[in-house]
Structures are given as C-alpha cells and as structure tokens.
Amino acid sequence: MSAPTCRSCGATLDVTFLDLGEQPLANSYLSPEQLAAGTERSYPLHARVCGDCLLVQVEAVVPAEEIFSDYAYFSSYSDSWLEHCAAYVEAVTARLGLGVDSQVVEIASNDGYLLKNFVAAGVPVLGVEPAANVAEVALAAGVPTEVSFFGQACAEALVQRGHAADLVIANNVLAHVPDLEDFVSGLATVLAPDGVLTVEVPHLLRMVERTEFDTIYHEHYSYFSLLAVRDVLARRGLHVFDVDELTTHGGSLRIWAARAESTAWPVRPSVGAILGAERAAGLDTVGGYRTFEPRVRALLADLRTFLDDARGRGERVAAYGAAAKGNTLLNAAGVTPADVGYVVDRSPHKQGRYLPGSHLPILEPDHVRRDRPDYLLVLPWNLREEIVEQMGDVRDFGCRFVVPVPAVEVLT
C-alpha cells in the first residue's frame, strides 16, 4: 500500500502525529434499529504531519458526501456559540461597513445561526450548506440557503448569479474539506475584488499545548497552524492580513484574508506575532510534533484509571454532551456503558440514539436529575463553564463534574 500524500502540497506523509487506530465516524449516531443490526463500521484514524508544508491531516477514508449530506450537528444548541457569532457579526459589519448594498456569503452555514444576525440588520446574505436536513431549518428561519457542496464550480455559479461577496465566512469548515485545492480556489473566486474572507479554525498550537487530541476525527481532515493555513491560502491566490485569537473550541484563530492582488488590506502585526509564537513552540519543524502522541497516551491512561477506580468503589458515572470530540475520547479510552451509563444532550436530534462505538444511550439532560449519578463527565470540555452553569444544581445531590481535557480533573 502506497504512502498517503499531503492534500495541500502533494508531498509524501510519513511522520505520525497521532494514531488512534480504528474508530467509527464521530457524528454517526445510531438508531435503536442500527444498534441492534450490529452493522456499524470503523475506519483508520491516523493523523500525520507533512514534512514539507507542516499541515497535520488524516486520510479521507470516507467520502465527504457520506458524512455531511445528512448531519446531526445543529449550531443553535450552544448558547455561548450563538453569543460568539452575534458579536462577530456586529464587529465585522462595522469594520467592513456592510449594509443593504453588500453581499455576505457563508460556507457551511448550518441552520442559519450566524446569518440570521445579518438578515436582522438588513444585509443581503446567502448560505451554502451541504446537509439538506440542516438547511431546511435555516430556510424556515428566513435565511436564504443553497443546498450544495462548495467548491470552484459552485463559486463560479454564485458569481454568475450576482453573489460575488464583500464578505465570505468559512467558520469551522476548512478542517472538513478533503479537496483543499477545489475549496480554497472557490473561496478566492467568490470574493469581490476587494472582498474579505474570514476563516475560523481550531488552532493547532493550542491543541498541542493542551493535549486536545479529541478534536481529531474523520470529518476533520486537516488541523491548522497559522504557518500551514497561510501557505494553503497563498497557493490559491489569497493573502492573510490579520489574525484574531479566540477562546472557542479550546483556542481558535480567526484569519482575515483577501485576494493576493488586492491592496485594500495591508498586513497587520498580529500575523507576525502568531507566526512567531508557533515557531517558538517548534511548529516550524517536524520534530515539534513528535511529543504529542506520548502525552495523549498518558491522558487516556489517567481517564481509564479514574473510571476503573470509580467503578471499583461502586460509584456511577454519566456524561454530558453527545459531541463528536467526546466520541473520539470515549472510543480511544475503550469506554463502554459499564464505565459510563449514558450521555445527556440538549439536542432533540440526538436524543433516543446511541453514541458511535461506545454505544452510550443519549438521553435528555433532566435524566441526570432523576438518576443522580456520582459524576458527570463533561465531554464538550470547551463549553465547561456553560455546562456547569446549566447543570449546577446536580451538585445539590452530590454529583461532581469531571473534565477530561487538558487533564482529567474532578471539579470541586
């Protein structure tokens, strides 16, 4: 079997970042009928780093159409994420002077959670969303949405129909793209001559620092440092002119870019500052990536010890948040319903199903209050404050919150 090649520069990938073995698709929640049928499939989940362009990536072992055409993730079920998006819309509208004569296009617009803020302000928008079931929700909310996988052909069609954009938004989608050439070329195409692209990606630097390995799963094809994403964009005619550091998803970057030939957006000092921080952390050499896997193995061993000890004491553990990252964590640690009885989640689209791999049943949050477990394992650790606030009353009957990343911690 030939070695895989980099999806950005084409070099051979022969350096392991983290090998998690065989895992099911992280967002493939099982119906009771699917669980009973026993036909769940698993695929290799092996992240490698490109020795040439330093892009961390997993192989596209499953077609994107199989993952994203009918999708279980709806953005509107996280209050903190909605607040983050509303603040972004207010800030970018002011910075770019957007108004009734502007055009905003969002790629992977989900259920319209972000674009609805522009709609309320009278700014024309169009969402492009591949999952028809999710796009239906956006359309019902009055957010114009086209059901399509975005790429060069889609971008050309949008421009021909008058949707050359003053602002293109691509939040937490670049990691989901198996064909970076087609997708990023499309981003450059759909931009107006002096238009602006903003891209939000989890920051690889923070992943490495905080051992956030559970953000690795099959639908996340790539993992970006600014060093890598700058080169990905530059190869397709876009230049980075500004970068914001964000707290979302355990630490993210908002990257501001424009067409390479545009002179409207000079490069700001933030770009050099973050590139410098990445170089200081060793992310400009392959050697800087080799220490990650041993730290992940140690974290998984600590989680197994906690679960085994709790079980040995006769204490019961439940989990909060049927998040994709939680599925990577649970499956990497070999968790079963004997270790964690169930998981609760606010999304009715997930309730009544089962987590892939671990097969934990997904219930509604009030079940915790009736069942009264000893511990509540917070799987979406990036939302720990929001979840602890929402579920804080469980402490009244002695339940304690456990956060697994960046280290296993029982909150007092």
Side-chain angles (χ1 to χ4, degrees):
M1 183 176 179
S2 60
T5 56
C6 176
R7 64 173 42 89
S8 180
C9 72
T12 299
L13 297 173
D14 54 12
V15 179
T16 291
F17 181 61
L18 177 63
D19 187 352
L20 290 171
E22 298 276 327
Q23 295 242 8
L25 300 182
N27 272 307
S28 293
Y29 301 91
L30 304 172
S31 68
E33 294 77 18
Q34 289 171 319
L35 181 67
T39 56
E40 183 178 36
R41 296 182 62 188
S42 293
Y43 307 87
L45 185 56
H46 187 165
R48 297 176 171 89
V49 59
C50 177
D52 286 6
C53 73
L54 301 175
L55 178 65
V56 174
Q57 57 207 278
V58 299
E59 291 181 74
V61 295
V62 183
E65 291 79 6
E66 185 173 330
I67 298 175
F68 298 112
S69 294
D70 184 71
Y71 202 41
Y73 179 74
F74 288 73
S75 297
S76 290
Y77 289 97
S78 170
D79 295 338
S80 60
W81 180 247
L82 296 180
E83 292 167 5
H84 165 78
C85 294
Y88 161 79
V89 169
E90 182 178 359
V92 76
T93 298
R95 181 171 182 177
L96 303 187
L98 301 174
V100 295
D101 296 324
S102 305
Q103 177 69 59
V104 174
V105 172
E106 184 183 11
I107 313 304
S109 51
N110 202 261
D111 57 11
Y113 68 98
L114 185 149
L115 289 180
K116 67 181 183 182
N117 295 283
F118 286 113
V119 171
V123 178
V125 304
L126 179 66
V128 180
E129 169 56 48
N133 65 313
V134 180
E136 281 183 16
V137 178
L139 288 165
V143 177
T145 304
E146 179 163 320
V147 179
S148 178
F149 278 90
F150 183 80
Q152 180 65 21
C154 178
E156 291 172 356
L158 292 179
V159 171
Q160 290 173 1
R161 286 162 37 203
H163 291 291
D166 302 290
L167 172 64
V168 175
I169 304 165
N171 284 351
N172 298 298
V173 61
L174 197 61
H176 297 245
V177 175
D179 187 345
L180 286 173
E181 174 68 37
D182 182 59
F183 186 87
V184 179
S185 296
L187 294 177
T189 296
V190 79
L191 272 179
D194 286 327
V196 168
L197 165 70
T198 67
V199 176
E200 291 186 20
V201 292
H203 192 186
L204 183 69
L205 175 60
R206 304 303 171 213
M207 177 201 283
V208 171
E209 287 177 339
R210 302 169 186 170
T211 325
E212 297 170 351
F213 78 97
D214 51 348
T215 58
I216 297 175
Y217 39 96
H218 297 99
E219 69 186 56
H220 282 176
Y221 298 108
S222 303
Y223 305 82
F224 294 100
S225 63
L226 182 58
L227 286 160
V229 76
R230 176 196 61 178
D231 292 346
V232 166
L233 296 177
R235 288 189 187 95
R236 285 87 189 176
L238 296 166
H239 83 279
V240 175
F241 67 85
D242 198 4
V243 187
D244 301 323
E245 293 190 273
L246 309 172
T247 60
T248 53
H249 298 291
S252 297
L253 297 178
R254 178 182 294 137
I255 297 159
W256 301 72
R259 289 175 181 254
E261 64 271 20
S262 173
T263 58
W265 307 102
V267 177
R268 303 188 69 175
S270 58
V271 177
I274 294 174
L275 290 173
E278 292 181 349
R279 294 187 181 103
L283 296 187
D284 58 339
T285 66
V286 168
Y289 298 80
R290 295 187 187 275
T291 63
F292 187 64
E293 186 162 50
R295 290 191 288 113
V296 171
R297 300 299 174 203
L299 186 154
L300 288 170
D302 288 345
L303 179 59
R304 277 285 5 146
T305 297
F306 164 76
L307 293 172
D308 292 343
D309 288 351
R311 190 176 176 186
R313 294 190 298 265
E315 296 172 327
R316 295 184 304 118
V317 182
Y320 187 103
K325 60 166 55 72
N327 292 325
T328 293
L329 177 83
L330 295 173
N331 290 321
V335 172
T336 71
D339 303 303
V340 178
Y342 55 87
V343 62
V344 298
D345 197 278
R346 291 175 63 191
S347 173
H349 303 282
K350 296 180 181 179
Q351 293 166 10
R353 296 191 178 195
Y354 295 81
L355 295 186
S358 66
H359 298 168
L360 304 188
I362 306 172
L363 309 174
E364 46 84 26
D366 276 344
H367 186 82
V368 174
R369 298 178 174 98
R370 296 189 294 271
D371 183 58
R372 299 192 167 202
D374 298 286
Y375 298 100
L376 192 60
L377 179 65
V378 178
L379 297 177
W381 43 260
N382 55 304
L383 302 176
R384 59 184 282 175
E385 293 180 3
E386 177 182 338
I387 292 165
V388 169
E389 181 179 357
Q390 289 174 357
M391 300 294 294
D393 59 294
V394 303
R395 285 174 161 154
D396 295 344
F397 55 79
C399 183
R400 302 173 71 185
F401 292 95
V402 182
V403 179
V405 175
V408 179
E409 179 186 4
V410 180
L411 303 185
T412 57

